[in-house]
Amino acid sequence: MTRSPVRPHLVLAVAGIALAGCEGVQSALYASGVEAREIRLLFWVATGVCAAVLLLVMVIGTLALAGSTRVRAWLAREQLVIALGLILPVVVLSGLLTYALLVLQAGAARNASATDSSVTIVGKRWWWEVVYRDADGRSVVSANELRLPLGRPVSLRLVSDDVIHSFWAPNIAGKLDMIPGRVNRLTIQSDKLGVSRGQCAEYCGGPHALMAFHVVTLPDAEYQAWLAREASTARVPTTAAQRRGAALFIESGCGACHSIRGTEARGTIGPDLTHVGSRVSIGAATLPADAASFARWITDNQHIKPENLMPPFRHLAPEDLDALAAYLASLD
Amino acid sequence: MNVGRFRRAKSIALIVLATLVSLALLAAAFIASGLYNVAASESHFAVTTKLLAVTLRRSVETHSLSVEGMPSDDDLVPLGANHFAAACAPCHGSPAARRNPVVLNMLPAPPPLGEVASRWSPEQLFWIVRHGFKYTGMPAWPGEGRDDEVWALVAFLQRLPDIGEAQYRDLTGAAGIADRTEGPMPAFADPGANLARSCARCHGAEGAPPVSRRVPALHGQSAAYLERALREYRDGTRSSGFMEPVAAALASGEIEAIVEDYAGYDRIGSPAVAKDAESLERGRLIAQNGVRESGIPPCLACHSGRASKQFPVLAGLSAEYMTGQLSLWRRGLRDRSAYGAIMAVIANRLSDRQIRDVTGYLESLRDARPADAPDPGGARE
Amino acid sequence: MTTGDSTRQTQRAVSIVWLLAYLLAGPLIWSVQFAIVYALHAAACATASEPAAEGWIPLAMAVVTGACVAAALAVVACRGRLNRAIFGTGQGSRAYDVISLLLIVLATIAILWSGLAMALLQPCSLPQI
Amino acid sequence: MMVKPDRDLPNPGPRPAGEEDLLKRIWETPKGWRVLSAVNNTAVGTAYLGIAFLFFLMAGMLALVMRGQLAMPNSDLVSQDLYNQIFTVHGTTMMFLFAVPAIEALGVLLLPQMLAARDLPFPRLSAFAIWAYVIGGLVFFSTIFYDLAPKGGWFMYPPLTLTEYSPGNNADFWLLGIGFIEISAIAGAVEIVVGTLKTRPPGMTLAKMPIFAWSMLIFAGMIIFAFPAVILATMLLEIERSFGWPFFSADKGGDPLLWQHLFWFFGHPEVYIIFLPAAGLVSMIVPTIARHPLVGYNLIVVALIAAGFFSFGLWVHHMFTTGIPALSLGFFSAASMAVAIPSGIQVFSWIATIAAGRRSFRITTASLFVLGFLFIFTIGGLTGVLVALVPLDFQLHDSYFVVAHFHYVLVGGMVFPLFATFYYWLPMVSRNPLSERAGRWVFWLMFLGFNITFLPMHATGLLGMPRRVWTYPAGLGWESLNMISTIGAFVLGAGVLLFVIDLVRRFRPGEREDQNPWGAGTLEWLPADVYSTRSIPRVASREPLWDQPGLAKDVEAGRYYLPDAPTGGRETIVTTPVEAEPEYIIRMPGNGWAHVWAAVFTASSFLLLTVKLVVPALICAVLAIVSFIVWAWALDHGPAREPVEIGGGIRLATYRTGPSSHSWWAMIVLILVAASLYVAFVFSYLYLWVVSPEVWAPNGAPALPSLHWPAGAALLLIFGTGVIVLAKRLLPEPGRRNLGGACLLLLAAICLAAAGAVEIYGHWSSGLRPTLNAYGAMVYMASALNLQVALAVLIMAGFVVGRGFAGKLDRERRVTFDNTLMLLLYGAGQTLLGLILVHGFPRAVG
């Protein structure tokens, strides 16, 4: 199987997830984006301040309980309440508030200065449609995975097709809701190569827990190459099994819901599968994107992800199922 | 004084208890002795007969109180008539045939049904046909959850008093088999010849439409689909009081023969029914484009004959039949097969109005895949 | 019930109203400021065609905030007179004065904090970080 | 501060024999199954608290099931669908069926004792609220067993909860459960506002009220302004679900965020509604255990009031990630900071009080729970500061960090004080106190279990785990943290279980032996019986039992006010709201059944509506109204008696009308609730216009009806108001019978309803339909709210006519007349405002 030049990075990254169980692949503390980094610093500063206050309360409380009579008499005054309960919080909170507002303003300014919204993400029950606009202004439809060019700000348009969802890739930036009837904009910038994970953060019913995605950061050149490939039509099946799978895809009616550009399948209800084999995962980050997972998903998706909107296809004979899975896995 | 009252109450209770115990012992002894005669040749005491009759009537009256929702259309009668001829007449007789002597030696003997409609209300008839009677030989309806089929029979039974021999032969004679009901045994127990005619009784023979709009026209459907349907009826994954007994009696070779026949016939469209143009247009959009917001894929993506041969072609099928099947899916009665599970998901996403529109449109189609059909991708804006 | 009786009752009912107004002056002023600046900002940003260019929004909010701080200061300055008006002579209580004053202090802090937000944030820009 | 013992007692002489037995008989709690008809605050309050605690236990078990499911990744101990139902029911039950009712129960139980009142002024109203709550709550909770439970989360965001995405009745059961808690919360607010302001003992000025009374007063005030928002929200949601009026559907000009604004405008104050009274309890316990008056009483009152106010400026901090402009978020961030200060003041006040004790702080189970509360709540408050920082919230919102945060605030801020309360106040209602030895175990299991459960969750959230997830994949670093949390949850559960066992073993309703076991200074520790205290004391300080030696003895000997029952029935002294000078004697209803039936039929009516059985529901609604009328019929006693002597030469009337009457105050509170509801509606109207002006008339909807229609409606209103003036004049002299006044009042009510009808007809004939778009829905909603008031006024006016018929209405005996009149005037004002809004606003902006 030939691999395009964009693959090696991804393969390593995916292998990394699979092997190490890589703690921090979905974590606000392992920041790999400008926004997440600024928030992380704010978090540590504010947490430090709060910890100091907690310590103060505990020390004073202990003294009040077990201090000497003199200390206790000194503590038992309204002035203490005013000083520690009123003046101290005002000073501390004014500082924290100012800091937070400055961070907020910096982000808002970044958002305002990002003019083009090159990526639209549509929240759906329970997956993500990701639409890129390529250099020629054409739409490139993908799903359940966001690819980012390293070090370049990208402005995301966040919308919803049904209920409220929330887009949250904690390593890159904070979350922002996707609300029917509204368009929200989030400008993000990833500054670390590799794969991280995100998840819907607003309860959206049913398998809300299983509505996740991956964020893949590529060097700019690789990103451009990838985008060009993503815009192209699907790979033509090469082996006999893949060809059988391609025929089965049409024959079984999969094309009523899914698109594979370059074939008869032009459905718009489920995710676009044109390059599904090149993604990190399927089923909105519930299974790795390999042939075995495709086979499992097709027959058993209601157990893997209860209440998801795809019907189970259990009628396929084992060899047909393998052929179909092989075809889908070959769509890179 | 209080104590005295308590003692009296206690002794009364003891006497009652002792009586009950001795009665129970007597009854046990009678049963154990084998003195009771269970012979069908021995009729009940008159009082027992009377008691049983009252019990039966009261039971039906009470239990049928919850029955409702009788559909009212004439299309039910021919369907009911043909099932009657095949399944009921062997025991109960018909306007064209008296009851068989074998049957007359049952206890109780199945009554002739000529007057049945005057004795029972439609709801009561429904309950009887649906649930049968204990200890009589009257079976319950075999198709699980298929109340819609029961109503067809009820509709016929209601008309039965007014139906003479000629009209009866007319109703059931479409395939020239009405006389078979005079045979000694129920037709469904005879896996003999005339199977094709047996199917044609309801589904219509070559060139002839089905007897009712509730019955699908099988003409020109793929053999693979028809065979699957019969096998599903046979193994109980698809339920029908009409089809399951028939399918159960079929041997594998017979199934192939029948489905080859029907697959080879020319397709038969439903007679044109005047349709509201707006509804047809809405139906066309659903069938050809699907409804993206509701997750409804275009029907014709699978059901136009170009996809798997396992999917039925819907063009020209009657709207009543399709609506009926969709409602079975929505009631959870058709998702036991692998194929049924796929459609179950979609059927549950269709609203009543969408079902009306899309079945109307599909019925009006003459070609399996209309020439002006944009492909499923047409839904993309 | 005589007329005099009825008047006396009415006065009593008023007195708790005035007492509450005196106690709650600070929070009430804060509520007014908060409601006005928030509503003003939300409505202006939602309806204005070119929101960022609307220079009057920060100005209006600043005026409202200033007015509310002034009102709070005025209440503090006139405390003695208000106290006499509400309680008559010698009926007041130190507790009410302390509560009223501290609430004004807290409210003023809250008002100033929302002023801080106005100073640091551009109106109508979307909140991304 | 010692007050010189006052030997000039109001009733210095010995009391006549048999007087105490008479009191006992009057206030007796019925025995056997008739106990259901009881209205006395001790019986009813204890039952109320017990039921609320039962809901706590049941919802806690659901929490254990959830923790079991989350112990391991990819687990399917419970199904996804059931899990979604469980977390919805857990949250809803804890917030609505446990926390608020438990606080109200404590109010009903403790307030009259702390104020040395015989009972709160509307005992049957409290009993009604409890019955409605018990029936509605149990039905709501049981839905979890039939797969019928709501699964949209306790916050029920549309569009997920609209029929399209939540078919079936599940979501409606949520609306039902909430409907009941709305009813009982409003009833409780009426009771508590009037109770704290009007039934304090002579001499207890506002500045001398126990802190718990202050906190309950603020609690009730917050309910008046916060609950109407959620009442409106649930009305809108149910109407959209049932009839398709598009309030929240974006494609017809509605907005899902409208729900969030209304819900959180209630939802955030709700947290303080729960927390402030709990803090009030702590402020009562700490001084007793430290044996020193609270340091900074005034500061604590300031803190309570300030928190009550500022908490109304925080609601958007639940919506920081919805895409609202940054500056708007800044305002709410600032207000969120402001609300932290009062908590700081309280924490340091308690610490200062602990330090002030003459001897060191006694360590009892109650004080352990207080100290545990201080630690946990401080952490919760500080993490609250973190979430209030907008950029931080972008990461923390809807993650497990928030789950940790609010459990620290709510369990720390409410459950721990509640357990302290159990240990501290149980001797008031039980012969045995709880075991101190078991109590240590209970505390340490609960304290450690709590922290083991929730402390790791801060990290779980930071590591990216979102809330409300049924399961999670392995390999993201969440496994061990979740396992620890689950273990902690079961430790916490063991603590609660041990408490329940001890409670079952030791709780025996009845009189305590030691009347004041902790040596407390407030009036609830006076010797008491079913009738509360034998006589009602005059107090001179905040801790009368410390400052007035012999007070307990004098009170018990009947040497203070009202040692007897001069009217022969249940009564207590009403005092002026500020200075607490005796004003009149309120005669209170005794045990009865009408309010029980009213609750049963109200509950049945709601339930039947939920399962769409409309006709039986209407029958039950009518029966409920009949029960209300039967109940209300007995209330207006009229000035049948001469003023009575309560001691010290004070003679008080037994009947009042106008602004000093307790029923006048209750009506004012109800009108405030109605007004808040209408303000929430006006906000919603303007909000939807801001969101989608394009659907507003005249561009997006049929043109407004001509001005004749609103003018006609306004004329009807003015005519009705004029009629009222006449009606007041026509009331007969006592002893005469004249139906003129009552009939004119009815006529005015009909005018009010007719004005609403005219308004609706005008819109209908212009072609506007409520299902057309959000504008149409809002226009009809305005009228629906007006007609709702009109319907209430019509029923009340009919009631007044009935009173007139029965000869129970005259110039003096006129409380029912006055109340109807007040509501009528309010209804006319609201309708007029509605006309101006609906007809004026689109013309002004279009």
Side-chain angles (χ1 to χ4, degrees), chain D residues 542-553:
Chain D
R542 288 173 190 152
E543 287 88 13
L545 288 183
W546 288 347
D547 301 331
Q548 292 166 247
L551 183 70
K553 223 163 82 266

Side-chain angles (χ1 to χ4, degrees), chain D residues 513-799:
Chain D
E513 278 170 31
D514 180 1
Q515 300 281 9
N516 191 357
W518 313 107
T522 39
L523 297 179
E524 75 271 26
W525 299 106
L526 282 173
D529 205 318
V530 285
Y531 46 77
S532 194
T533 53
R534 177 79 167 78
S535 57
I536 296 176
R538 172 172 283 275
V539 301
S541 75
R542 288 173 190 152
E543 287 88 13
L545 288 183
W546 288 347
D547 301 331
Q548 292 166 247
L551 183 70
K553 223 163 82 266
D554 291 337
V555 163
E556 194 168 22
R559 294 190 194 120
Y560 276 101
Y561 299 114
L562 201 68
D564 51 356
T567 67
R570 299 187 177 190
E571 79 243 309
T572 194
I573 301 175
V574 171
T575 52
T576 57
V578 181
E579 300 299 333
E581 285 310 319
E583 214 171 9
Y584 70 105
I585 295 285
I586 169 178
R587 295 163 68 195
M588 292 188 294
N591 307 327
W593 288 102
H595 64 277
V596 182
W597 290 120
V600 169
F601 287 123
T602 310
S604 314
S605 175
F606 272 62
L607 271 172
L608 292 164
L609 265 187
T610 305
V611 295
K612 313 273 188 292
L613 292 172
V614 179
V615 174
L618 286 180
I619 294 172
C620 285
V622 170
L623 287 173
I625 290 173
V626 170
S627 310
F628 280 116
I629 289 174
V630 171
W631 168 7
W633 191 259
L635 292 181
D636 188 355
H637 301 281
R641 289 167 177 279
E642 290 300 298
V644 295
E645 161 100 35
I646 61 165
I650 301 177
R651 293 175 67 76
L652 296 180
T654 58
Y655 187 78
R656 274 293 171 90
T657 56
S660 65
S661 114
H662 57 288
S663 91
W664 186 91
W665 282 75
M667 188 43 89
I668 290 289
V669 173
L670 277 183
I671 287 176
L672 281 176
V673 169
S676 305
L677 183 67
Y678 208 71
V679 168
F681 165 75
V682 172
F683 164 81
S684 308
Y685 178 96
L686 296 173
Y687 177 84
L688 284 186
W689 171 77
V690 166
V691 172
S692 34
E694 70 280 359
V695 301
W696 246 245
N699 303 323
L704 282 161
S706 82
L707 281 174
H708 298 108
W709 293 102
L715 276 179
L716 275 169
L717 292 175
I718 292 165
F719 175 72
T721 318
V723 163
I724 295 173
V725 177
L726 201 59
K728 276 171 97 166
R729 301 231 176 109
L730 282 180
L731 284 179
E733 290 298 324
R736 300 259 178 87
R737 187 184 297 210
N738 179 352
L739 279 179
C743 289
L744 281 183
L745 187 70
L746 185 61
L747 178 63
I750 292 170
C751 287
L752 179 64
V758 165
E759 164 73 353
I760 288 182
Y761 187 77
H763 288 292
W764 193 266
S765 53
S766 78
L768 184 68
R769 296 291 176 273
T771 48
L772 175 70
N773 55 31
Y775 166 74
M778 276 295 162
V779 165
Y780 283 92
M781 195 64 208
S783 291
L785 290 175
N786 292 333
L787 282 179
Q788 183 182 293
V789 176
L791 181 68
V793 173
L794 268 178
I795 293 172
M796 287 168 69
F799 182 73

Side-chain angles (χ1 to χ4, degrees), chain D residues 177-195:
Chain D
I178 300 320
F180 278 103
I181 198 61
E182 284 160 358
I183 292 175
S184 71
I186 299 288
V190 170
E191 179 81 313
I192 284 160
V193 166
V194 184

Side-chain angles (χ1 to χ4, degrees), chain D residues 9-15 557-559:
Chain D
L9 294 172
N11 290 304
R15 302 304 306 168
R559 294 190 194 120

Side-chain angles (χ1 to χ4, degrees), chain D residues 251-273:
Chain D
D251 55 344
K252 286 186 173 175
D255 187 8
L257 285 190
L258 172 61
W259 169 270
Q260 299 190 15
H261 279 290
L262 291 174
F263 186 82
W264 292 118
F265 186 79
F266 144 82
H268 203 93
E270 159 86 349
V271 174
Y272 288 85
I273 283 174

Side-chain angles (χ1 to χ4, degrees), chain A residues 124 251 259 264 266 268 309, chain B residues 306 308 349 375 377 380:
Chain A
K124 305 204 179 214
E251 205 175 277
S259 288
E264 272 181 59
R266 261 166 267 182
T268 54
L309 298 184
Chain B
R306 301 205 333 159
S308 165
R349 289 181 197 162
D375 42 39
R380 196 192 294 279

